[in-house]
């Protein structure tokens, strides 16, 4: 963190006083320290109070309209109980039409809800694209963008926070896929019997196929963001991939520095901001790992993975276990040969 860099600088300075000015040792030491400081930007990203400047307003308004719905989506998902009981009774009593109808009536409003979640993921994808365009556009470097356009950086962080929260809830709720599978089987059975059901008008076959692919993912929202970021990179041929991945690695670094630096931490006025910051850090690491050709865990990665994992492990395990699991199970390159044994051991 900040103190360790200051301490190292003082030691370096004291040591250098005893070296000739042209000494190779002095040059190498300065190079090592300079590289470390250059790789890790130190500035406070105000996740609590950042307000849009005039230049940010157009994109900020567009993204804000999407994010306004995010809290409601999470609340709905959190209270999603499923129709397991009704479905079991209908399956065990196939001849009882009343139970079939009861199960169908229980499932239909739930499928309408799942459709809303899926459609929200498409809107979130567009919002992310707008933010990526704004935060990677010339002439500024990613670090300058994040420092200058803090309101957009905050929205980017809010998208990641929502994504990890949604996926955590989805992963622990098997009712979602059970309900949707029952819905699809019932539609297919009735189609064979030439019966058209009203609910089909709301979720037609093409929509059902797309929703099925979405909910089959362990982390569907993260997959949506990952695909959107990869698509953004491939469609913007004039924009070097590093501009996008540097935006992600810079955000991860800023979050880590804020979490491990007491002067920054004490500026958080809300107790939830620490968890928000950790969630965002993990989110950008996972995105970076999916988009960057060699990923986040390689030696050449611009993300200090050891430092990030260490910051997480210093928190109470009940608040970070889900985030550590996200790094263990939703990244792409953790098990590559290029990942050091130390990093793998940290995530055991």
């Amino acid at each position: 963190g900040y103190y360790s860099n200051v301490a190292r600088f003082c030691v370096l300075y004291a040591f250098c006083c005893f070296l000739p000015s042209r000494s190779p040792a002095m040059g190498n030491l300065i190079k090592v320290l300079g590289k470390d400081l250059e790789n890790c930007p130190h500035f406070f990203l105000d996740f609590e109070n950042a307000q849009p400047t005039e230049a940010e307003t157009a994109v900020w308004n567009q993204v804000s309209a999407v994010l306004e719905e995010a809290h409601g989506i999470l609340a709905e998902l959190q209270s999603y109980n499923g129709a397991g009981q009704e479905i079991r009774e209908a399956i065990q009593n196939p001849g009882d039409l009343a139970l079939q109808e009861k199960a169908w009536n229980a499932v239909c409003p739930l499928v309408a809800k799942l459709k809303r979640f899926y459609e929200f993921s498409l809107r979130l994808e567009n919002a992310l694209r707008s933010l990526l365009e704004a935060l990677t556009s010339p002439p500024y470097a990613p670090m300058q963008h994040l420092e200058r356009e803090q309101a957009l950086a905050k929205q980017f962080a809010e998208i990641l926070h929502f994504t990890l929260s949604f996926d955590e809830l989805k992963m622990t709720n098997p009712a979602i896929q059970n309900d949707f599978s029952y819905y699809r089987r019932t539609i297919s059975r009735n189609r064979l019997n030439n019966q058209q059901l009203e609910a089909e008008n709301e979720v037609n076959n093409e929509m059902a196929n797309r929703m099925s692919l979405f909910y089959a993912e362990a982390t569907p929202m993260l997959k949506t963001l990952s695909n959107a970021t990869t698509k953004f990179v491939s469609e913007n041929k004039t924009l070097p991939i590093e501009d996008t991945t540097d935006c992600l690695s810079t955000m991860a670094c800023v979050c880590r520095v804020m979490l491990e630096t007491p002067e920054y931490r004490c500026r958080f006025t809300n107790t939830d901001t620490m968890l928000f910051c950790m969630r965002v850090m993990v989110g950008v690491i996972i995105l970076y790992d999916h988009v960057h050709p060699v990923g986040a865990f390689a030696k050449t990665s611009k993300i200090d993975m050891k430092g990030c994992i260490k910051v997480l492990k210093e928190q109470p395990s009940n608040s970070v276990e889900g985030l550590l699991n996200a790094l263990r199970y939703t990244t792409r390159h953790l098990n590559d040969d290029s990942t050091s044994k130390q990093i793998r051991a940290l995530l055991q």
Side-chain angles (χ1 to χ4, degrees), residues 305-319:
M305 285 306 303
K306 273 185 240 171
C308 291
I309 296 166
K310 187 167 165 279
V311 163
L312 291 174
K313 290 205 154 186
E314 284 167 359
Q315 310 306 317
S317 61
N318 62 328
S319 64

Side-chain angles (χ1 to χ4, degrees), residues 240-309:
I241 185 172
E242 289 78 19
D243 285 26
T244 305
T245 54
D246 284 0
C247 175
L248 301 174
S249 59
T250 304
M251 181 86 96
C253 185
V254 168
C255 287
R256 176 178 63 76
V257 169
M258 289 202 301
L259 287 164
E260 65 187 13
T261 309
E263 302 99 304
Y264 289 156
R265 272 205 317 272
C266 71
R267 287 171 68 179
F268 297 155
T269 56
N270 189 327
T271 51
D272 293 337
T273 306
M274 280 280 288
L275 181 59
F276 179 89
C277 209
M278 288 187 281
R279 213 184 277 273
V280 171
M281 181 179 76
V282 168
V284 284
I285 288 169
I286 296 167
L287 260 191
Y288 182 99
D289 195 56
H290 279 253
V291 175
H292 195 281
V294 296
F297 299 96
K299 280 181 184 169
T300 53
S301 163
K302 290 190 178 178
I303 296 177
D304 173 8
M305 285 306 303
K306 273 185 240 171
C308 291
I309 296 166

